[in-house]
Amino acid sequence: MEAGSDTELSETQCNGSNRALIFVLGSIFGTALTATLGLFLNKTSSTSTHHHSSKLYSDPDQERRHSHAVSTHNKRVLNIDSVFRPKLLQSTVILITGANRGLGLALTQTAMKCGARVIALCRSTSPELTQLKPFQIIENIDVQSDSSMELLKSKLNQLKLKVDVVVNSAGYFSKQRESLIDHTMDFSDELKTIDICAVGMLRVTYAMLECGAIRKGSKVVMITSQGGSVEWRDVQSQSGGDYGHHMSKAAANMMGKLCANELKSMGIAVGVFHPGFNKTQMTKKYESIWEKEGAVDPMVGAKRVLHEITCLDMETTGCFINCEDSLLIPW
């Protein structure tokens, strides 16, 4: 794809108004009718310099989805640099939770390369994060702790900055697979997972609002997962299991949607993003399927997320987006 202007990015590559319209109609009429509409809208976007798939929703079959992207040479999936415009993030203030490792660390590094000022939140820093020297590292932030939110508000009040983007990236995934049949249920761990992956993001968002760090024009991103799609469980989880993980992501999706509806009146856009399959410590237990299912280095995953952040606006607020291919995921 040829490099385009910033206007081309917002109007054609993101195709926000089309996607928002399809999302609303999909909720009302179902996928069959809206898939036809999606094809029509894509065909009638005559000014677009970027090929949009005629598919309305992303494919729930991860291996098939990746295989199709490879066979069709899908640049959006295989080469995020073909659409990502780093300069759109230049001079923005981005707050990232869970910034000391994994995707959060990659987001911090990539956003800094784009010229953003990053406020990195973590329970404790890591050598990798310290070496990056972001604009600000705020330690002792535990998304499960209300008292941590008071510390966060105090630190942000001292900075006296409007935060342009909040990326709720902190997460948790138990190493052991939960199963009723295998007698491996862990109910306390389920509650911990839901607290970190759903309520934790809400705590941070509330603290940001309370101290006035986010206001009209800001964006809030909830990094959830395709694992929170109830509809996709019949494809991706046919034998059930992993209760805490999937329940936490479904809860996070609901929380993100409710935030989008409530904050719309304030002019704050909320993104509910599946970041894609990234090769992190959290997903290492799936290392055997990384390649066939298209798992990517976290730095690639970070660019995918940041690209979708540049596309997020009040027309697409509350949409559940797959950062691998920019398509919708059903709730």
Side-chain angles (χ1 to χ4, degrees):
M1 174 186 160
E2 296 297 324
S5 67
D6 292 353
T7 301
E8 287 172 330
L9 176 69
S10 61
E11 292 182 355
T12 64
Q13 291 171 344
C14 299
N15 203 16
S17 59
N18 284 358
R19 187 161 65 186
L21 175 61
I22 291 171
F23 176 76
V24 172
L25 291 176
S27 300
I28 300 172
F29 298 111
T31 60
L33 175 60
T34 49
T36 304
L37 176 61
L39 179 61
F40 170 76
L41 288 172
N42 287 327
K43 283 184 176 180
T44 54
S45 298
S46 58
T47 60
S48 176
T49 59
H50 175 65
H51 174 72
H52 287 280
S53 170
S54 61
K55 288 180 66 176
L56 173 59
Y57 290 101
S58 191
D59 188 341
D61 188 314
Q62 181 85 34
E63 185 176 350
R64 184 175 63 200
R65 184 166 76 217
H66 175 62
S67 176
H68 180 74
V70 172
S71 66
T72 58
H73 308 287
N74 187 320
K75 285 187 177 181
R76 167 61 186 84
V77 176
L78 302 177
N79 180 17
I80 188 59
D81 289 320
S82 67
V83 294
F84 180 46
R85 296 292 175 263
K87 63 182 178 180
L88 294 178
L89 297 171
Q90 189 171 0
S91 300
T92 57
V93 177
I94 302 179
L95 181 142
I96 300 171
T97 69
N100 58 331
R101 62 180 181 175
L103 181 62
L105 180 65
L107 284 165
T108 299
Q109 184 174 351
T110 307
M112 289 176 63
K113 286 183 178 179
C114 296
R117 289 185 290 173
V118 176
I119 301 172
L121 270 53
C122 54
R123 286 182 296 174
S124 58
T125 191
S126 62
E128 295 83 0
L129 177 59
T130 302
Q131 188 175 4
L132 287 179
K133 298 180 180 178
F135 173 72
Q136 185 82 32
I137 297 175
I138 303 179
E139 294 187 86
N140 300 310
I141 301 299
D142 181 351
V143 299
Q144 291 183 273
S145 165
D146 294 339
S147 60
S148 278
M149 297 304 104
E150 294 303 317
L151 172 63
L152 174 59
K153 289 190 285 186
S154 174
K155 293 288 188 181
L156 292 174
N157 283 331
Q158 292 173 24
L159 292 176
K160 295 181 170 62
L161 285 174
K162 175 191 175 184
V163 174
D164 298 298
V165 181
V166 177
V167 184
N168 285 296
S169 175
Y172 171 75
F173 195 175
S174 177
K175 291 182 179 179
Q176 184 175 22
R177 180 181 181 275
E178 283 188 292
S179 167
L180 295 167
I181 297 172
D182 296 336
H183 310 288
T184 55
M185 299 300 291
D186 188 337
F187 298 108
S188 62
D189 192 74
E190 288 176 9
L191 292 173
K192 173 183 175 179
T193 306
I194 292 169
D195 198 10
I196 293 172
C197 298
V199 183
M201 293 196 282
L202 189 58
R203 279 194 188 93
V204 171
T205 303
Y206 183 53
M208 301 292 290
L209 277 169
E210 286 283 281
C211 69
I214 54 174
R215 43 193 182 273
K216 185 175 182 179
S218 295
K219 301 179 182 183
V220 178
V221 172
M222 313 298 183
I223 299 297
T224 69
S225 169
Q226 63 183 0
S229 169
V230 175
E231 184 172 331
W232 277 11
R233 288 318 89 218
D234 288 334
V235 175
Q236 297 180 346
S237 303
Q238 293 181 10
S239 356
D242 275 333
Y243 290 90
H245 170 68
H246 293 298
M247 289 191 299
S248 75
K249 299 306 181 182
N253 290 346
M254 177 62 81
M255 177 274 300
K257 183 62 176 177
L258 292 173
C259 283
N261 289 350
E262 185 166 10
L263 298 181
K264 188 180 294 185
S265 63
M266 296 181 63
I268 296 174
V270 178
V272 183
F273 291 172
H274 166 57
F277 196 7
N278 295 287
K279 298 177 180 178
T280 64
Q281 194 63 37
M282 195 176 291
T283 67
K284 194 168 179 61
K285 62 181 178 180
Y286 300 120
E287 188 174 11
S288 62
I289 60 171
W290 272 353
E291 299 309 319
K292 70 178 182 179
E293 294 201 356
V296 297
D297 184 89
M299 295 299 287
V300 174
K303 287 182 180 180
R304 287 173 167 177
V305 170
L306 291 170
H307 169 67
E308 293 303 325
I309 287 173
T310 64
C311 294
L312 176 63
D313 58 24
M314 295 310 299
E315 291 182 332
T316 58
T317 187
C319 290
F320 185 13
I321 302 298
N322 185 352
C323 292
E324 289 182 9
D325 54 20
S326 292
L327 297 177
L328 295 166
I329 296 176
W331 300 108

